[in-house]
Amino acid sequence: MNWIDIGAIDDIPLRGARVVKTRHGCVAVFRTAEAEVFATSDRCPHKGGPLSDGIVHGRKVTCPLHNWVFSLETGQAQGADEGQIETFAAKVEDGRILLDAARLMARSAA
C-alpha cells in the first residue's frame, strides 16, 4: 500500500468526521468514540447525502438525509436498507491519519 498523510487524529473529534478532497473524489474520514478511524465515500447511495455530516455511532454512520445506516467497516447498508458505500484503508501512526493512496487511485479507474 502507498499511504498518504491526511492530518492529525486530533483534528477530528470523537464521533466526528472530516472530508478529504482528492483528485479522485471526496472521502469521508470518521473517528469513532473509541478513537478508531475509518474512511468511506462521502455520498449516501440513496439520495447522495453527505455522510460526513451524519451521526457516528459505534462502527456505523447514519446518513443525515434519510437515516440510512452504513457499516464503517464494510460499507454495507444495515437493517432493511440496501446498498453499499466504498470503503478505503485507513490507519493511525504517531497520531497521524494515513489513507491508502493506491485504493484512491483505483477509484478513478472504475
Side-chain angles (χ1 to χ4, degrees):
M1 291 189 188
N2 183 17
W3 298 100
I4 55 172
D5 185 329
I6 61 158
I9 190 167
D10 291 337
D11 291 342
I12 303 175
L14 293 174
R15 295 180 300 278
R18 293 289 185 266
V19 175
V20 177
K21 295 180 180 178
T22 75
R23 291 188 304 176
H24 311 290
C26 291
V27 174
V29 181
F30 300 93
R31 184 178 180 195
T32 68
E34 290 76 30
E36 298 172 296
V37 174
F38 297 94
T40 73
S41 60
D42 192 32
R43 294 181 55 85
C44 175
H46 175 226
K47 297 282 184 179
L51 294 174
S52 57
D53 289 345
I55 298 169
V56 176
H57 48 101
R59 291 180 170 171
K60 299 175 185 167
V61 62
T62 297
C63 178
L65 293 185
H66 298 99
N67 296 324
W68 281 35
V69 178
F70 296 92
S71 165
L72 294 173
E73 296 173 280
T74 66
Q76 192 68 46
Q78 305 292 290
D81 299 326
E82 296 180 4
Q84 187 165 8
I85 56 176
E86 287 183 278
T87 60
F88 304 95
K91 65 180 181 178
V92 177
E93 286 185 359
D94 299 326
R96 305 292 298 179
I97 300 170
L98 306 174
L99 292 182
D100 178 14
R103 178 73 172 94
L104 291 173
M105 300 286 264
R107 182 183 193 195
S108 66

